[in-house]
């Protein structure tokens, strides 16, 4: 058998310190950044703009390689100003890579696209606000505008943003969650009546077993590795379910431990490591439940089931009729492997289950997450210390955004609260999520796109479709820190509105402002920037939103005094206190350095479901784990014309979503390139393909569109046969717009049916810096 590509023996350790210092020192503002790094996640510092993992209460400095990269990326001295845009037209910029665009530095002044010249040109803030207001006020209905949000916006900015959209008259609030943990919110709401995880960081100290499904914390939540390492060291069992052998889940060296930092020593993390096929987790978890029900009666917590749940008999029936053969085929795991994991689950007193994108970006993600919940309800692993459910969120404040009302489907209670306080009616009918917003733009039903952060053009699926949809907008407004692909999606009119980042001082009329954020454990705390703003022409997100609202709605009786809210964010927090459950006394509570925990009903065994009970889900396993839109895939493989693979698109170690920091993926042994395709060597040999050979990848969908990406270099890797992996966003062109999760409408970024062919001319140079 061909040799597998070499990857490191352990994650973390000195290499991670070295790597982050490389980024810090190259950031053109090294001194500020070192100062910044010492303040990150401190009780009086700023919240790390990296991931949503929570902080320990001690507020001790915790080194995090990728947190350091996120901080260094924001604090650079390079700027993108009017001279830059005079030099490059939008057409010229469109030829540049995503990496190049963001590397040019921080956006430093407001700019407007000039259709005649094809360049962005300077515009005053007041003119920019007037332009947006005039356009919004000229639309036939407010539903012709889309208000996108990415998960870094603070609670204050996102609260004002949703309030503005609703005062204006629409629930069109698509957000990055729609492409991320949407399925978690839906599944958890259905099953336990609250769309959030039920554990807090301390629970990790008490758990006897931690299951990690479809998540790569070594790269994407490095501070979670400290919790896993601590747990493994005291003898708890960590069981990983991952399509790939991610090195950090095998062995991790803590940069906090002098021995592990400086010697080859490392902690073994996973007690058991299972590598299911893409989309196979639901079958695997069903198998675990089947084993427990049939062989470990003592682990079935009948009193919990009786007291707290409904639909148990339906669930038992489904378990009974699901046979092991189907479970093994769909999961790609053997009955013995699944049994071993089930025994750990059944025999551990306290169990936590974590999951992320490997679970949420599939066709049947909602059912898969409910299957995880089923297992916890079956065994009563909920509502006690050290046990429960932990969807590990992505962006640092993505959970807070949702709590603040960035939701295209607001609950009736949420709108009731707004109506009671503001003494006016708000629209209740659902607005657009990302999928619907893109379709509305494509059909020219929506005419204005406003984005509070993010990079929708690169993050959304079906790149061709998404580009055209965004270019259809008559006005594209991007509130951003750095230049990206979304700014180039302009055909008629567009604005780039440069904002302050999390690390910067935000001074308003009432003085230095703090903002608040919520982490994945529902902890809310304050964050204050510390660096001088990159440019005097950058405004805070809250300020920009307030001024758009003021320009559009005025401050007459039927509106609000938006500008006074911006002058003092404590006033925004007063609105939050009065309209969002759980935020009473917010202004006082954030004076406590570590912040406060939002109440979680399910963690207290109170179920906000219609029946007031937690609900077992008795769905059958899916017929196929890939999207319906690919019935053609079956036809192709049936005719044996070509092997149909299932591809997952994932993150490298040197990127933050669409932001590419560098071309290495150290933990997978990749250096200097991103256009790589991880393949099982046996699959490659069957197609007569060799390591490093270039291939073109074509996805399959029955809408007769060709979706293709070219020149991907093969990497022989430990990956289940029939599965492939490649980086996001390079492979986004392959995800058909219609290929979305059932109920969640999340793009199926982790199960894309594709076929491969050798690239014709092998002389094409690999993508490089
Ligand atoms: N440094 C850094 N930090 C980040 C981000 C970043 O880009 N860079 N992004 C942030 C955001 S928005 C998010 S949502 C999170 C993302 O965090 P992750 O969910 O860890 O991100 P992905 O890279 O998409 O990794 C998915 C993991 O699931 C596995 N997987 C894929 N499909 C399956 C499957 O069907 N079954 C199983 N069992 N495993 C599967 C993959 O092999 C991979 O290890 O990270 C956040 N933090
Ligand atoms: N194929 C595939 N597609 C995916 C995924 C996948 O795994 N595979 N993952 C999906 C997931 S989980 C997510 S969350 C989305 C991410 O989608 P987005 O949230 O839209 O994308 P990001 O890359 O996080 O956004 C980066 C941009 O945000 C801006 N920015 C950074 N910090 C700030 C700030 O503080 N304020 C403001 N206003 N702007 C800021 C910068 O200009 C930067 O260019 O992508 C999704 N798309
Ligand atoms: Mo995400």
């Amino acid at each position: 058998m061909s040799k597998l590509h070499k990857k490191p023996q352990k994650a973390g350790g000195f290499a991670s310190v070295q790597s982050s210092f490389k980024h810090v020192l190259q950031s053109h503002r090294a001194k500020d950044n070192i100062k910044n790094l010492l303040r990150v996640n401190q009780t009086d510092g700023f919240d790390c703009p990296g991931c949503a993992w929570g902080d320990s209460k001690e507020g001790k400095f915790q080194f995090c390689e990728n947190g350091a990269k996120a901080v260094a990326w924001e604090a650079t001295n390079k700027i993108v100003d009017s001279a830059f845009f005079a030099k490059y037209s939008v057409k010229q910029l469109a030829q540049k890579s995503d990496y190049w665009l963001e590397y040019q530095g921080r956006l430093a002044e407001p700019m407007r696209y000039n259709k005649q010249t094809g360049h962005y040109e300077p515009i005053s803030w007041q003119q920019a606000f007037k332009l947006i207001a005039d356009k919004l006020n000229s639309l036939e209905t407010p539903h012709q505008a889309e208000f996108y949000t990415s998960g870094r916006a603070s609670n204050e900015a996102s609260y004002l943003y949703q309030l503005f959209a609703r005062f204006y008259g629409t629930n069109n609030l698509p957000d990055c969650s729609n492409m991320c943990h949407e399925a978690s919110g839906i599944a958890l709401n259905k099953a336990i009546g609250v769309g959030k995880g039920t554990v807090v960081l301390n629970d990790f100290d008490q758990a006897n077993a931690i299951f990690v499904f479809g998540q790569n914390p070594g790269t994407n939540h490095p501070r979670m590795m400290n919790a896993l390492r601590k747990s493994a060291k005291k003898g708890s069992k960590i069981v990983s379910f991952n399509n790939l052998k991610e090195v950090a889940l095998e062995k991790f060296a803590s940069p906090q431990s002098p021995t592990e930092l400086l010697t080859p020593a490392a902690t073994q993390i996973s007690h058991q490591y299972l590598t299911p096929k893409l989309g196979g987790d639901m079958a695997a978890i069903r198998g675990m439940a089947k084993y427990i029900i049939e062989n470990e009666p003592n682990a079935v917590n009948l009193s919990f089931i009786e007291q707290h749940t409904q639909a148990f008999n339906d669930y038992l029936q489904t378990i009974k009729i699901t046979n092991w053969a189907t479970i093994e085929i769909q999961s790609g795991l053997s009955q013995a492997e699944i049994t071993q994991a089930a025994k750990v689950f059944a025999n551990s007193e306290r169990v936590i289950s974590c999951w992320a994108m490997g679970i949420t970006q599939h066709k049947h993600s909602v059912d898969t997450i409910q299957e995880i919940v089923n297992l916890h309800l079956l065994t009563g692993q909920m509502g006690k210390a050290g046990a429960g459910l932990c969807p590990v969120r992505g962006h640092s404040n993505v959970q807070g955004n949702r709590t603040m009302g960035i939701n295209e489907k607001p609950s009736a209670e949420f709108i009731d609260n707004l109506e009671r306080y503001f003494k006016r009616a708000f629209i209740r009918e659902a607005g657009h999520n990302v999928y619907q917003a893109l379709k509305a733009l494509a059909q020219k039903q929506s005419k204005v796109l406003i984005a509070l952060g993010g990079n929708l053009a690169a993050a959304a699926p079906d790149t061709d479709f998404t580009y055209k949809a965004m270019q259809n907008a008559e006005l594209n407004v991007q509130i951003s820190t750095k230049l990206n692909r979304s700014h180039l999606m302009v055909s008629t009119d567009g604005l780039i509105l440069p904002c302050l980042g999390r690390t910067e001082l935000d001074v308003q009329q009432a003085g230095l402002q703090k903002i608040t954020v919520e982490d994945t454990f529902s902890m809310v705390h304050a964050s204050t920037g510390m660096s001088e703003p990159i440019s005097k022409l950058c405004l805070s997100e809250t300020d920009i939103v307030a001024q758009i609202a003021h320009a559009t709605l005025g401050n007459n009786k039927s509106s609000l005094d938006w500008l006074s809210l911006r002058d003092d964010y404590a006033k925004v927090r007063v609105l939050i206190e009065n309209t969002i459950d759980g935020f009473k006394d917010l202004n006082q509570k954030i004076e406590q350095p570590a912040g406060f925990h939002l109440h979680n009903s399910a963690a207290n065994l109170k179920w906000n479901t219609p029946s007031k009970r937690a609900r077992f889900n008795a769905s059958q396993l899916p017929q196929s784990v890939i999207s319906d839109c690919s019935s053609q895939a079956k036809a192709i493989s049936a005719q044996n014309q070509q092997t149909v693979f299932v591809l997952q698109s994932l993150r490298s170690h040197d990127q933050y979503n669409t932001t590419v920091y560098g071309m290495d993926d150290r933990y997978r042994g990749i250096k200097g390139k991103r256009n790589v395709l991880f393949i099982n060597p046996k699959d490659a040999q069957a197609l007569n393909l060799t390591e490093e050979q270039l291939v073109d990848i074509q996805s399959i969908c029955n809408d007769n569109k060709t979706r293709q990406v070219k020149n991907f270099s093969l990497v022989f890797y430990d990956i289940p046969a029939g599965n492939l992996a490649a980086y996001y966003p390079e492979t986004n062109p392959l995800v058909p717009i219609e290929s979305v999760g059932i109920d969640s409408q999340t793009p199926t970024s982790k199960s894309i049916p594709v076929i491969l062919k050798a690239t014709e001319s092998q002389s094409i140079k690999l993508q490089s810096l």
Side-chain angles (χ1 to χ4, degrees), residues 241 272 274 277 280-296 315 317-343 371 375 378 621:
F241 280 74
Q272 194 192 352
L274 299 104
K277 279 192 197 158
D281 300 82
M282 182 177 177
I285 300 160
R286 168 85 32 106
M288 286 169 66
K290 191 174 173 71
Y291 174 80
I292 292 174
I293 288 168
E294 291 171 3
N295 301 284
E296 300 262 5
Y315 173 63
Q317 199 51 34
T318 308
I319 296 276
K320 209 164 145 195
I321 60 171
T322 314
N323 61 48
W324 276 106
T326 312
I327 291 171
E328 287 193 322
I329 290 172
Q330 203 163 92
S331 68
L333 299 172
S334 68
Q335 185 173 347
E337 286 175 297
I338 296 173
T339 299
Q340 198 193 340
K343 282 185 177 160
E371 200 65 25
L375 203 50
L378 179 70
L621 292 182

Side-chain angles (χ1 to χ4, degrees), residues 176-177 179-181 357 361 393-395 398 651 657 728:
C176 67
S177 279
M179 300 181 275
C180 184
H181 263 293
M357 297 305 102
Q361 295 178 332
R393 306 276 165 179
H395 282 98
V398 66
R651 292 155 173 80
N657 296 339
Y728 135 71

